Amino acid sequence: MAKYGAPYVPYFALAFFCLVGAGSLALIYPLFVGTLFGSIFSPDKPSALAPLLAVVSGLLNRLFPGYQLSPLDPVLALLTGILVVQSVLSFGRTYLLNYVGEKLVADVRRDLYRHLLSLDVTFFANRRTGELTSRIASDVTAIQNSVTLSLAEAMRQVIVFTGGTAFLFWIDWRLACLLLALIPVLVVSFAFFGRNIRRRSTRVQDALAEATAILEETIAGIRTVQSFAREPYEVNRYETHITRSLREALGRALARGLFNAAIVFVLFGGFVGLLWYSGNQVLAGKLTAEQLIQFLFYAAWVGGALGTLAEYYGEFNQTIGASRRVVELFETKPAICDRQDAQPAQPVSGLVEVKDVHFTYPGRTEPALDGITITARPGEVIALVGPSGAGKSTLISLLPRFYDVTSGAICVDGRDVRAWKLADLRSNIGIVPQETTLFSGTVYDNIAYGKLDATPDEVERAAQAAHAHAFITGFPQGYQTIVGERGVKLSGGQRQRIAIARALLKNPRILILDEATSSLDSESERYVQEALDVLMEGRTTFVIAHRLSTVQRATRIVVMAHGRIIEEGTHQDLLAREGMYKKLYKLQFRDVPEWILQEEAGARGAAPQLQVARTALP
């Protein structure tokens, strides 16, 4: 974390100068207060500040000739001048430290977010969104408060304590030694209570992160929660972690309360003892009234500084707990990243070779893929079919390197995908998933996400090709319509067509369609399928489908089960065999007369309508 402060060292230095200046000037006040009381109660005794006050008196006489100065006027004038300078320095200290703190924390948030986006999908599969949100928001905010507010005040108190102690020794070294004898007791208290506060602070942040994760999940799935009437269950889940957080926070508050109580008892007990001892010194004639007032003021300031430092010590321990969680994220290394010898992409033709690929998900023992070999030439459409859990989605997740193969290789244009730069590889792959992800912006923004520098005409053409233009222009705000979080304001079919428009705008050489038309009604499905036909032209395409009517025109159909390829061929070839494909086909179309299938196929020149398959399902 120290690297974030390096660019702001000049600001820190200037702020420290203002801090030292303001703190040093503040240390002068007890001297003048003592002098003031000495002038009132012992006017016949010379003050230690008499030479300085004489200079100030001379200046006042020149500025205000004829004015009769009282003994207190030079003291007041000097204090006023010091106050003006101190105010300017205090402003500089406060502004500069807040400026540095805000900039530093913004840098941390920005880099932490960038680092999170660089991590692989395995990391996010093992973390909940609310937990990560809590770390970026709550934990970094805790660091921000310490940097922008507490650090400046703590440094000021250090100056007050150091300078005040020096003045105490200057006034009477014996009394100063008595006061400093309290410090070992305070140090032991710091060490004893500090560990407890740090430990509990970390547990508080962990419990809050869990509660935030539950909150995020519940809000995201509010329709599911309400449809199952699980509000009491979710409230109980949330309250469990809030209660744990409360318990740890109360334990931390107890530790801090005991810590502060111990500090107050030691400091004020010591102050009472000093008052008794110094009062006897005055009565014995070993201290003047001026020295006594100065010493008591400095003793109060030093004690107050120690007490304040004790409070900030507890707060910094809380910050350490939060910063550890942030550092833990920074220290997490992505499992999927560019190799040192990764080369930029050349123009991609779209040749994809899957060579004896085996893959097992992290933390599992059962392989998800077991010796898959497929070659997809440029422009071919490869359909992946099979029962759920066959490994279809796993296979296409390896192509853009969401995961890396356990053994074997996947090559694009003859080069292992692990030798590509990730950004180049993924920029040549377009994915239209079954569960569409839209961002909470406008329709235009979501389509333009496929090509950030796209012109409005390009965005509109992509929407027209995806048959989304008509319903978009039907909205009052058109392309500037807000889609809501995750596109909640749109229907499933509308979301899917926007996702297809986004992929069309990206114009990739390799296309992955994962049940891309599953959310569409029959009419929209026809239009979108035609748009996809145009999109697939000349591109290497992988189509995952459970409904076999969507894959009959594929160049080649690959039937998978249990992570293996059990059949491969064209639709007609596979129907001619007594294999799994034919069984799946008969299961889906067993109640559909053959003449309907033929008529539908003839109407489109290919596969029957998906709606037919949908109604045919048992």
Side-chain angles (χ1 to χ4, degrees):
M1 297 296 286
K3 70 174 183 178
Y4 288 98
Y8 306 107
V9 168
Y11 296 95
F12 271 119
L14 185 57
F16 184 73
F17 170 78
C18 294
L19 184 67
V20 171
S24 300
L25 290 176
L27 289 169
I28 297 176
Y29 285 108
L31 289 178
F32 286 99
V33 171
T35 301
L36 191 64
F37 276 96
S39 300
I40 295 172
F41 297 109
S42 304
D44 54 329
K45 292 185 178 181
S47 170
L49 299 177
L52 180 60
L53 294 176
V55 173
V56 175
S57 297
L59 290 174
L60 290 176
N61 285 325
R62 290 190 182 92
L63 292 173
F64 305 102
Y67 176 73
Q68 185 65 37
L69 296 177
S70 78
L72 302 182
D73 289 341
V75 179
L76 179 62
L78 193 55
L79 284 176
T80 302
I82 292 173
L83 181 61
V84 171
V85 177
Q86 185 186 18
S87 299
V88 174
L89 293 175
S90 295
F91 167 78
R93 173 207 59 163
T94 303
Y95 176 77
L96 288 171
L97 284 178
N98 275 274
Y99 173 83
V100 169
E102 296 289 349
K103 294 277 286 184
L104 188 149
V105 170
D107 292 343
V108 172
R109 279 203 173 103
R110 184 164 47 245
D111 287 356
L112 184 57
Y113 182 69
R114 183 183 295 113
H115 179 70
L116 281 175
L117 293 186
S118 74
L119 298 177
D120 53 280
V121 295
T122 303
F123 170 84
F124 293 99
N126 296 327
R127 302 291 196 287
R128 290 192 289 181
T129 304
E131 176 191 353
L132 299 177
T133 303
S134 175
R135 295 200 184 192
I136 293 179
S138 302
D139 292 352
V140 176
T141 298
I143 298 173
Q144 178 183 19
N145 291 336
S146 293
V147 171
T148 57
L149 302 175
S150 305
L151 179 61
E153 188 60 28
M155 292 173 66
R156 191 176 76 86
Q157 296 301 332
V158 168
I159 293 173
V160 169
F161 173 77
T162 305
T165 302
F167 276 110
L168 288 176
F169 275 97
W170 176 65
I171 296 170
D172 191 297
W173 66 270
R174 291 164 298 183
L175 293 177
C177 287
L178 288 175
L179 181 63
L180 295 181
L182 302 175
I183 291 181
V185 179
L186 299 177
V187 171
V188 171
S189 299
F190 283 7
F192 177 77
F193 288 101
R195 285 194 299 269
N196 184 275
I197 294 172
R198 274 198 304 271
R199 186 170 58 251
R200 289 187 178 275
S201 294
T202 301
R203 291 204 290 256
V204 167
Q205 294 299 120
D206 288 340
L208 285 176
E210 288 290 331
T212 304
I214 292 172
L215 177 65
E216 182 114 4
E217 290 175 350
T218 305
I219 293 176
I222 188 63
R223 294 189 181 186
T224 302
V225 173
Q226 292 181 346
S227 67
F228 282 90
R230 289 293 181 263
E231 293 91 340
Y233 170 76
E234 294 299 340
V235 169
N236 181 64
R237 269 212 311 160
Y238 185 74
E239 285 184 347
T240 298
H241 293 288
I242 288 296
T243 301
R244 183 162 68 91
S245 170
L246 176 62
R247 183 171 60 251
E248 295 295 343
L250 291 178
R252 182 181 65 188
L254 177 63
R256 290 191 65 176
L258 292 173
F259 181 40
N260 290 338
I263 298 301
V264 168
F265 179 80
V266 172
L267 289 178
F268 282 92
F271 187 76
V272 170
L274 283 174
L275 183 60
W276 173 82
Y277 181 78
S278 58
N280 285 327
Q281 293 291 94
V282 172
L283 293 176
K286 297 180 180 180
L287 277 178
T288 64
E290 178 180 342
Q291 289 176 316
L292 175 62
I293 296 298
Q294 290 172 341
F295 187 89
L296 292 179
F297 264 93
Y298 279 119
W301 280 36
V302 168
L306 279 174
T308 304
L309 286 173
E311 292 186 18
Y312 286 121
Y313 179 74
E315 184 173 322
F316 287 138
N317 275 293
Q318 291 180 223
T319 304
I320 290 172
S323 63
R324 281 177 178 171
R325 288 159 47 87
V326 174
V327 170
E328 178 188 332
L329 283 184
F330 273 120
E331 291 178 347
T332 303
K333 303 300 181 184
I336 308 295
C337 58
D338 289 336
R339 295 195 320 202
Q340 291 184 349
D341 60 346
Q343 298 296 320
Q346 302 298 324
V348 177
S349 65
L351 173 63
V352 178
E353 299 169 285
V354 181
K355 302 178 179 179
D356 192 27
V357 165
H358 295 73
F359 175 74
T360 302
Y361 282 102
R364 300 184 189 177
T365 57
E366 186 71 21
L369 297 176
D370 188 7
I372 301 295
T373 298
I374 301 173
T375 298
R377 295 175 180 82
E380 287 190 333
V381 178
I382 305 298
L384 303 175
V385 301
S388 297
K392 305 182 298 295
S393 296
T394 299
L395 178 59
I396 64 168
S397 295
L398 298 177
L399 180 55
R401 287 194 69 198
F402 293 144
Y403 301 94
D404 273 341
V405 299
T406 303
S407 65
I410 296 180
C411 299
V412 172
D413 286 2
R415 193 190 337 168
D416 194 316
V417 293
R418 290 168 290 189
W420 288 67
K421 286 187 176 295
L422 269 176
D424 291 340
L425 174 67
R426 292 172 179 173
S427 66
N428 283 284
I429 300 174
I431 303 175
V432 181
Q434 180 178 6
E435 296 181 4
T436 304
T437 299
L438 298 184
F439 301 99
S440 55
T442 64
V443 171
Y444 183 94
D445 293 337
N446 275 280
I447 297 176
Y449 200 79
K451 183 182 177 184
L452 296 179
D453 59 348
T455 64
D457 286 342
E458 290 176 317
V459 170
E460 186 171 323
R461 285 199 299 271
Q464 288 173 338
H467 296 278
H469 180 73
F471 78 77
I472 293 173
T473 53
F475 295 141
Q477 287 79 36
Y479 281 84
Q480 298 307 312
T481 299
I482 300 296
V483 303
E485 187 176 10
R486 295 182 176 89
V488 69
K489 294 183 178 181
L490 304 179
S491 69
Q494 290 172 336
R495 289 197 298 268
Q496 195 74 334
R497 277 181 277 176
I498 288 176
I500 292 171
R502 185 164 60 192
L504 283 163
L505 190 61
K506 185 179 182 181
N507 194 22
R509 297 302 307 163
I510 301 171
L511 186 64
I512 295 173
L513 305 177
D514 187 357
E515 293 282 2
T517 61
S518 62
S519 299
L520 304 180
D521 56 71
S522 57
E523 182 179 2
S524 298
E525 190 171 21
R526 179 192 292 270
Y527 293 141
V528 171
Q529 187 61 54
E530 291 173 357
L532 289 176
D533 289 343
V534 175
L535 176 62
M536 291 187 292
E537 185 68 31
R539 293 175 173 81
T540 306
T541 305
F542 290 88
V543 180
I544 295 179
H546 289 286
R547 289 192 296 272
L548 304 185
S549 57
T550 65
V551 301
Q552 294 181 25
R553 286 183 299 163
T555 308
R556 193 162 65 259
I557 299 172
V558 176
V559 184
M560 298 180 63
H562 306 295
R564 297 185 179 93
I565 296 176
I566 59 174
E567 288 182 299
E568 186 173 355
T570 64
H571 171 65
Q572 296 300 330
D573 291 340
L574 294 176
L575 282 183
R577 307 174 192 173
E578 293 297 329
M580 177 177 285
Y581 184 82
K582 187 171 183 179
K583 292 179 181 178
L584 293 173
Y585 185 81
K586 287 183 175 179
L587 178 65
Q588 290 190 14
F589 295 100
R590 63 185 181 186
D591 296 326
V592 183
E594 184 63 28
W595 66 271
I596 294 181
L597 297 179
Q598 293 175 355
E599 182 175 306
E600 288 288 344
R604 294 186 52 198
Q609 284 293 315
L610 295 183
Q611 184 63 24
V612 176
R614 194 175 291 123
T615 56
L617 288 175

